[in-house]
Amino acid sequence: EAQVTQNPRYLITVTGKKLTVTCSQNMNHEYMSWYRQDPGLGLRQIYYSMNVEVTDKGDVPEGYKVSRKEKRNFPLILESPSPNQTSLYFCASSLSHGFNQPQHFGDGTRLSIL
Amino acid sequence: GQNIDQPTEMTATEGAIVQINCTYQTSGFNGLFWYQQHAGEAPTFLSYNVLDGLEEKGRFSSFLSRSKGYSYLLLKELQMKDSASYLCAVRDPTNAGKSTFGDGTTLTVKP
């Protein structure tokens, strides 16, 4: 089944403790992206990757890192999480970064930073 | 930059028709997406419009007017399961890697 898989689905942790949210897609998609979603707000883009070893900042990259060493994986790293990073995170992928390419989303990761 | 506006909430009755509007201000334009997101779930793709006019997909249709910077999603024969948030989105015309989403319209369908 074609899918985008995120782990963990839920995480409660403390300020300053490094964490990684993994994202993997099995559709051979070139493009991958991370978003955060806060109550009443739409999706805000954190980072994106147009292909292996190519990453770039979205609208809200502060406090996050990403890497794209393999086509299928695009982990999101919070080196020193803070409470304002408490949010619902979505990973997405699309066949390419073409303008007409819809994104396929993972089921989301709910992070709580205490 | 890109700016997208949608109404925050709408309510409609089962079996009725509802129109969800989206206006955008962008530095260029290469198409607009609509996604559906049920509470606590992932967004799923509904439609993509790049040319003016109406595109129909079963009970859902999407309309675009590029000259007015305006799109709408039309849902017919509403069902309870259509209660969800509807997001419109555009890709940055100078950098398709960047996407901007509206804040979403939460639709509640009542019996």
Side-chain angles (χ1 to χ4, degrees):
Chain A
E1 180 191 350
Q3 59 186 6
V4 179
T5 303
Q6 297 178 225
N7 280 296
R9 293 289 315 280
Y10 304 91
L11 178 64
I12 302 174
T13 188
V14 296
T15 299
K17 186 176 180 183
K18 180 179 178 179
L19 68 91
T20 299
V21 184
T22 63
C23 175
S24 181
Q25 49 91 9
N26 63 359
M27 297 171 279
N28 201 35
H29 282 175
E30 285 187 349
Y31 176 89
M32 297 185 77
S33 185
W34 275 103
Y35 298 88
R36 61 177 288 172
Q37 187 174 39
D38 300 293
L41 298 179
L43 296 161
R44 290 184 292 168
Q45 193 173 35
I46 302 170
Y47 269 95
Y48 61 92
S49 170
M50 300 228 210
N51 214 325
V52 176
E53 302 291 1
V54 180
T55 63
D56 211 342
K57 296 177 180 178
D59 292 324
V60 289
E62 295 78 19
Y64 305 95
K65 285 176 58 176
V66 293
S67 68
R68 187 95 182 271
K69 294 185 172 61
E70 307 162 285
K71 199 171 190 177
R72 64 183 293 127
N73 295 324
F74 190 45
L76 179 70
I77 302 156
L78 285 70
E79 293 268 3
S80 182
S82 62
N84 64 10
Q85 294 177 298
T86 292
S87 189
L88 178 58
Y89 290 85
F90 287 101
C91 179
S93 72
S94 61
L95 186 63
S96 73
H97 60 275
F99 290 109
N100 65 343
Q101 293 298 311
Q103 295 182 66
H104 303 260
F105 288 83
D107 287 337
T109 295
R110 192 169 291 279
L111 283 183
S112 294
I113 316 292
L114 304 177
Chain B
Q2 326 304 320
N3 189 50
I4 295 177
D5 290 305
Q6 305 180 234
T8 303
E9 295 179 330
M10 297 184 72
T11 302
T13 304
E14 193 174 15
I17 299 172
V18 71
Q19 178 176 310
I20 301 174
N21 296 326
C22 170
T23 57
Y24 61 90
Q25 299 87 38
T26 60
S27 53
F29 183 75
N30 281 290
L32 183 142
F33 296 87
W34 282 97
Y35 290 86
Q36 180 191 58
Q37 184 180 24
H38 286 100
E41 296 185 11
T44 55
F45 168 71
L46 288 176
S47 68
Y48 171 75
N49 293 69
V50 67
L51 299 176
D52 291 348
L54 186 69
E55 293 213 4
E56 300 187 59
K57 271 187 188 181
R59 293 190 301 114
F60 290 13
S61 302
S62 54
F63 171 84
L64 177 68
S65 169
R66 289 173 295 173
S67 62
K68 294 181 180 177
Y70 167 68
S71 175
Y72 67 72
L73 185 67
L74 193 69
L75 289 70
K76 302 176 188 174
E77 300 168 17
L78 279 173
Q79 302 176 9
M80 299 298 289
K81 67 178 182 179
D82 296 330
S83 292
S85 185
Y86 293 86
L87 309 172
C88 61
V90 296
R91 293 218 187 207
D92 188 314
T94 60
N95 177 359
K98 296 193 75 172
S99 287
T100 300
F101 283 76
D103 289 347
T105 299
T106 300
L107 174 66
T108 302
V109 180
K110 297 188 172 179

